């Protein structure tokens, strides 16, 4: 199974974890899409659970830490792997 950028972007935009899509362009989450695509390359057998873990890690780091790796005062991303699992399943199924 090959993870497709267009599918990943579509589902992340639909999910909109930072509630940005109402004011931002469709490529708003492209930095996260690139990081997820890169991390997914190193997973031998990409399934929904491993994809959910990657997504959680990328968004946690992107929204909860500054550029130097210090925690930001207000954590804006609190989703767990279990919360993200349905989105990851949709992405995996759409890429088959």
């Amino acid at each position: 199974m090959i993870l497709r950028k267009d599918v990943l972007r579509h589902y992340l935009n639909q999910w909109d974890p930072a509630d940005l899509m109402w004011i931002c362009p469709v490529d708003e989450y492209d930095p996260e899409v690139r990081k997820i695509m890169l991390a997914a390359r190193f997973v031998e057998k990409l399934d929904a659970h491993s994809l959910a873990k990657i997504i959680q890690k990328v968004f946690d780091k992107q929204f909860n830490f500054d550029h130097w790796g210090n925690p930001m005062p207000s954590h804006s991303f609190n989703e767990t792997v279990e919360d993200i699992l349905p989105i990851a399943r949709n992405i995996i199924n759409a890429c088959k």
Side-chain angles (χ1 to χ4, degrees), residues 1-3 39-54 92 96:
M1 197 270 320
I2 297 173
L3 189 59
R41 290 174 143 180
F42 297 100
V43 177
E44 187 173 319
K45 184 175 179 351
L46 190 65
D47 61 8
H49 192 266
S50 58
L51 180 58
K53 285 171 56 176
I54 292 169
I92 294 289
K96 287 183 178 178

Side-chain angles (χ1 to χ4, degrees), residues 15 21 25-26 29 31 36 41 50 54 58 72 75 82 93-94:
W15 173 40
M21 295 313 301
V26 292
Y29 292 118
I36 293 164
R41 290 174 143 180
S50 58
I54 292 169
V58 166
M72 295 193 349
H75 296 289
E82 290 73 28
N93 288 335

Side-chain angles (χ1 to χ4, degrees), residues 2-3 7-8 10-13 17 20-21 23 29-30 35 38 47 51-52 56 60 63 66 72 76 87 94:
I2 297 173
L3 189 59
V7 171
L8 184 57
H10 168 77
Y11 282 100
L12 292 181
N13 285 350
L20 297 172
M21 295 313 301
I23 58 170
Y29 292 118
D30 278 8
K35 291 173 185 174
L38 180 63
D47 61 8
L51 180 58
Q56 196 279 334
D60 179 59
F63 291 106
D66 65 19
M72 295 193 349
S76 59
I87 295 125

